Structures are given as structure tokens and as C-alpha cells.
Amino acid sequence: MTAPTTITRAKAATPGGICYRVLMWEACALPPESLEGWKQKRSALLARMRDAGVKGARGNLARLNEELRELSARAIEAPLATCAQAGFSFARVKELADALDAEGEVLGWQLTPCSAELLAELHGEEGIDTLLKRLSTTTSEVTWCDSPLVEVLNAATARERLAAWQQNAEENDAESDEAEEGSTPFHHVTVLAREAVEALLPAEGKVLVDATLGGGGHSELMLQAGATVWGIDQDPAARRAARRRLAAYGERLQVVAGNFRNAAELLRERGLEQADGLLADIGISSPQVDCPERGFSFLSEGPLDMRMNPNAERSAADIVNSASEAELADIFWQYGEERASRAIARRIVQERAKAPITTTTQLADLICTVLPRKGRQHPATRSFQALRIAVNDELGALEALLESGLSLLKSGGRFAVITFHSLEDRAVKRYFDRVTRPEIDRPEWPAPRPNPEYTARQVFRKPITAGEAELAANPRARSAKLRVIEKL
Ligand SMILES: C[S@@+](CC[C@H](N)C(=O)[O-])C[C@H]1O[C@@H](n2cnc3c(N)ncnc32)[C@H](O)[C@@H]1O
């Protein structure tokens, strides 16, 4: 069982008056050199403010505060190791969280095994002193860092922070619920592992983005080659599995929750402006398919879900039970190339008029009544694939990543995409052709013109596909295509 690394709580309170943000650190939470460096910066800043007679730190203190929070967040990526080191167990964190819950003036908090960050609306400095005292006595076995950071926030900033905490709290709840249920081992065989990673030229000092972290197979090879990796995934189970598998690489792995359609913003928000390479291994991972509760597979009974991000709004059941017959037929035809798309859509509409279609096997059985089984492929294969692509807007996300990917790269940076579906490969090929052609031509033009989008070169003339040995070991690799470009 994995414990959540952060427990966040925020009340739906609307702060009206002065709010305080309090940050307390377990003395051994960070490597001593990081904490020492931070303390020196803080003393220097406070001294500068004192010398200049400046009262407000113009956000500098907040930035330092954030820096420390990030350092700590990275340090607790390996939760078990750090817990043991910090001696501040999750059970204790939960206990503390419950105790604080009883405090009327505390609006929200974030607790990690080695830090406590509170937001409180108080009547004056004395209130803060009381709160700090209570916090340190409730956690008497924890040696707090000697200088808790206390900041005054105006109501608007406090509201913004609370809203962010509230969102985190919802995510953490979802993650810890899954953890409570016991995390299943994550077995995903990485496709075109060596080919894709080598194409990115990983090396010490390079920063690579793995936009589809999954179980961390590609990331591991990048880390082994010495690179720093920013891994994005929208699936909390994948993020947890990758964190566990790659914990030994410490701060060289940065895990980012989110959809790669927003990769540029997600990374810039966290301070990464440009990288040396970006990989996207499009599609789903084996554990997503193999887990009946995720609802991807027609082979096992489960809710008709198919969301890679369990917090996404629309599940497969929502589409199946609410899209029009024409929309359903379009989905099956466009994303699944299912020739019986109209008949399947018609059947769904007839059935759902009697009762909603809520499970994977219900839908699979219904498809079998339209399409009798022929050959080795299950009749529901194409329709399930189509629904999954629609639920997760996989083509929309890929298009957005293609459009923004190069902007994230330095000159000479490489952009590699592995696809498993002809529609996806077509999108990648079209985009890569568009940006690697020095000139464009039209029948009505007297001569070709320079291409304003010319910003990259093709690394391989043809897509890379799996070799015989990989195909023999992993039949899933048969449709994989790797395309790579390099930013000029
Ligand atoms: C094929 S797996 C990646 C496997 C990984 N390369 C490895 O070797 O372990 C694809 C992963 O990308 C994630 N994913 C797919 N689409 C995504 C998107 N639009 N944004 C973020 N993650 C996405 C899935 O949740 C899944 O974990």
C-alpha cells in the first residue's frame, strides 16, 4: 500500500480578514545542504530588507518559501525512505490533520511527512503564536526547523490558495482511496524502448520530457543515461507506479500530474522553459486495460468508464447513454474504422431506451448481437478502441501536443512520438512534414515559396518500427511507429 505524499485539506470558507500562512519544517526533512542554502538565502533577504528599511518583501519571501516547498516535495518523492528518516509517520500526519480540523480558525493545510503548511484567519499576532504553540505541542516528537515562516496574505491571495488546496484535496482523496484499496503491480512492457530513448540523445545534464510517463519504462532509460526527466501522466496509478519504480533517481525525476495537451503550461508553471527532448508514447498502458474497474476491456466485467484521468468529466457510459445515434456511429467509424458502426449505434440506442448501459460486458454482448464473431478478433475490439479514443479525446490531445511540442525545445532538441493507430500516425506524419519542409508549393503559384513553419528536420526518413525480437516478445509492438524530428 502506498501512502499519499501530501494530505491537503481546505474548508469551503471565504476568508474576509487578514490571513496568515505558516510553514513549518521537520529539521531533517531535507538534505542538510539544501536546507542550509535556503536558510542562508532567507537570512540574506531579511538582512537586505532590514538594511533598506523595507517592510514588505515584494513577493521575494513567498518565492523563497515556494522554493523550499518544492525542495521538500522532491525530497518526499520517495515517501517511505523519507518517512523513516523524518520519523513523522503518515498515521501521525493524519492525526495532526484531524486535530487541526477541529480548529475553527484554520482554513486549510497541507501536510507532508516533513512539513506543515497552514492557512489561518486570525484576529492578531497572538492567534498565530497560539497556533504555532499548539502545532508544536501536538507534534512534540517532531523537531521542527528553528524558523517557521509566517506570512500575511490578503483575502484575495488566501482565497486563491484555498481554491488550489481544495482541488489538491480532491485529487489526494481520490489517490488515497485507490491506495487504500491496494495498488496492483504495474506491468507494462515498454515499446521501442531503446530506439525512442536513443533518438533523444540522453546524457548527463540534459533535460528530457516524458509526456506519457506510464510505468516509467522510457523514463528509466533516460535516467540511466544521466538525464533529468520531467514525466507527465494524467493517470494517478501510473504516476504512483513510476514514482515507486524510479525513486532511486531522486530529484532527477520530476513527476507532473496533468494532460500532455497542456504540457507547455504545466512545465512552465513549474519553472521548466525549454528541454533537450520530448517523448510521447501515445495510448494506454497495459495495467489500464488489465484493471477491470477502469472499464477499458470488453473481456472482464467492469463499469463502462475508460477514463485515463479518473477525474475527467465524461466516461464511456456518459457517451454511450447520451450521444445521439449519429454521433455514436461517427465515433465507431472514425476512431475504430468499424464497418458496422451504424448498426451498432442503432442497437445501442434501442437498448438504452430500456435501461442505461453501464458495464463493459453489457456493451460487448450487445455488440456481439450485431456482429457475429468471425476470426480471432473479438467483435467489440474496434468499438471499444473508438470509445476510448473519444472518451479521452486522444486525437485532440495529440494535436495540441504536436502544436506546442517544438516551442518547449531548445535548438537541437528532439521531439519523438510513438503511435499505435493509423489516425495518430497520420496526424504526426502530417505535422512533422509541415514543419520540416523548407519550401511549400501550390498549383496556382509560379514557384515554390519559403515555408514560414520550417523549424525542424526529420531525424529518420521513415518511421522506426519494432524489430523481430521485440515483436516476438511483445505482439503489442506490431503497430508501433516512431517518428522523430529535431528543432533547427
Ligand atoms: C503507452 S503508456 C506509456 C508507457 C511508458 N512509456 C512506459 O514505458 O512505461 C501511455 C501513458 O500515457 C498516459 N497518457 C495518455 N494520454 C495522455 C495525455 N493526453 N496526457 C497525459 N498522459 C496521457 C496514459 O495514462 C499512460 O499511462
Side-chain angles (χ1 to χ4, degrees):
M1 177 177 136
T2 8
T5 47
T6 311
I7 296 179
T8 313
R9 284 287 170 275
K11 295 179 184 161
T14 312
I18 294 181
C19 291
Y20 291 86
R21 181 189 186 192
V22 185
L23 192 65
M24 294 180 81
W25 296 91
E26 208 328 28
C28 61
L30 292 171
E33 52 298 352
S34 308
L35 194 58
E36 218 30 66
W38 179 83
K39 276 189 193 166
Q40 281 169 8
K41 279 197 218 166
R42 183 163 184 269
S43 316
L45 174 68
L46 293 176
R48 273 204 310 280
M49 284 164 54
R50 206 178 34 246
D51 293 349
V54 178
K55 286 233 169 67
R58 300 204 181 89
N60 286 329
L61 211 50
R63 268 193 292 281
L64 264 186
N65 183 342
E66 200 54 41
E67 196 179 299
L68 187 57
R69 219 173 69 70
E70 275 171 21
L71 278 172
S72 153
R74 277 181 234 153
I76 60 161
E77 288 294 331
L80 296 179
T82 319
C83 276
Q85 184 198 354
F88 188 10
S89 71
F90 276 107
R92 199 73 191 83
V93 173
K94 268 193 184 309
E95 208 178 295
L96 177 61
D98 291 343
L100 290 170
D101 209 7
E103 298 301 330
E105 67 269 59
V106 177
L107 300 172
W109 61 85
Q110 284 207 138
L111 303 174
T112 73
C114 49
S115 73
E117 187 181 1
L118 312 181
L119 207 91
E121 186 179 5
L122 301 174
H123 302 298
E125 300 282 335
E126 272 176 33
I128 267 292
D129 291 344
T130 319
L131 192 72
L132 288 176
K133 202 176 288 163
R134 190 156 40 227
L135 189 57
S136 46
T137 47
T138 333
T139 54
S140 52
E141 82 280 23
V142 178
T143 330
W144 293 109
C145 171
D146 48 18
S147 46
L149 201 59
V150 181
E151 263 190 292
V152 183
L153 302 180
N154 64 28
T157 317
R159 270 198 293 275
E160 265 171 36
R161 191 156 293 274
L162 271 181
W165 282 1
Q166 230 153 356
Q167 193 181 343
N168 268 354
E170 282 158 22
E171 277 201 6
N172 290 343
D173 282 350
E175 292 208 7
S176 54
D177 282 353
E178 284 172 43
E180 293 284 322
E181 286 158 19
S183 51
T184 35
F186 200 99
H187 293 302
H188 176 83
V189 183
T190 300
V191 171
L192 295 172
R194 189 183 47 76
E195 293 86 342
V197 174
E198 280 179 5
L200 295 178
L201 311 173
E204 210 169 306
K206 290 223 181 169
V207 177
L208 302 178
V209 176
D210 184 348
T212 48
L213 180 63
H218 286 109
S219 285
E220 182 160 43
L221 293 181
M222 298 175 197
L223 289 159
Q224 279 170 359
T228 293
V229 176
W230 290 69
I232 304 175
D233 208 294
Q234 60 178 332
D235 182 346
R239 295 195 299 270
R240 269 200 306 276
R243 276 197 184 106
R244 261 199 310 270
R245 171 174 177 175
L246 305 173
Y249 296 94
E251 291 184 16
R252 278 207 288 123
L253 174 73
Q254 300 292 318
V255 178
V256 179
N259 192 306
F260 62 56
R261 67 163 70 237
N262 308 316
E265 296 93 86
L266 287 170
L267 297 170
R268 284 185 187 132
E269 262 166 26
R270 289 162 175 80
L272 181 71
E273 291 292 331
Q274 290 206 302
D276 298 286
L278 192 160
L279 170 69
D281 174 15
I282 303 298
I284 43 174
S285 64
S286 310
Q288 285 168 332
V289 187
D290 296 343
C291 176
E293 294 80 41
R294 305 292 300 263
F296 286 100
S297 171
F298 44 78
L299 293 176
S300 35
E301 171 90 25
L304 195 52
D305 191 322
M306 299 195 192
R307 286 170 302 172
M308 289 191 215
N309 170 2
N311 295 323
E313 265 178 31
R314 213 171 52 148
S315 70
D318 293 328
I319 296 184
V320 164
N321 291 297
S322 66
S324 69
E325 187 177 325
E327 281 166 341
L328 285 172
D330 273 357
I331 290 174
F332 297 136
W333 173 243
Q334 276 186 22
Y335 301 149
E337 290 168 0
E338 173 54 74
R339 273 185 278 171
S341 57
R342 285 170 202 272
I344 294 173
R346 197 174 318 125
R347 195 66 222 282
I348 287 176
V349 171
Q350 283 164 359
E351 280 305 308
R352 77 186 188 195
K354 298 178 206 156
I357 299 161
T358 56
T359 69
T360 47
T361 43
Q362 218 183 333
L363 179 63
D365 292 347
L366 184 154
I367 294 171
C368 288
T369 63
V370 179
L371 263 182
R373 191 168 187 136
K374 259 196 243 154
R376 282 172 51 203
Q377 197 181 60
H378 190 287
T381 307
R382 288 183 298 276
S383 305
F384 267 61
Q385 171 194 283
L387 260 179
R388 190 205 85 205
I389 293 177
V391 167
N392 297 289
D393 186 21
E394 293 180 33
L395 285 166
L398 173 60
E399 294 278 0
L401 179 71
L402 289 172
E403 292 294 338
S404 64
L406 280 174
S407 76
L408 260 172
L409 295 178
K410 296 176 187 162
S411 168
R414 296 212 168 165
F415 188 1
V417 185
I418 302 173
T419 57
F420 292 84
H421 188 287
S422 56
L423 277 177
E424 295 163 350
D425 181 54
R426 217 173 299 152
V428 178
K429 180 176 183 313
R430 204 178 311 131
Y431 178 78
F432 281 9
D433 281 348
R434 211 175 90 198
V435 293
T436 54
R437 229 177 304 138
E439 293 184 325
I440 40 175
D441 200 0
R442 299 240 194 294
E444 64 274 22
W445 293 347
R449 298 177 183 174
N451 176 7
E453 291 189 286
Y454 176 48
T455 43
R457 72 169 188 91
Q458 299 271 8
V459 174
F460 305 115
R461 214 166 41 81
K462 289 196 164 166
I464 305 288
T465 53
E468 271 175 33
E470 179 166 4
L471 287 175
N474 181 14
R476 208 176 65 83
R478 71 184 174 279
S479 46
K481 282 192 178 148
L482 164 70
R483 294 183 188 269
V484 187
I485 54 174
E486 183 180 286
K487 186 167 172 175
L488 295 175

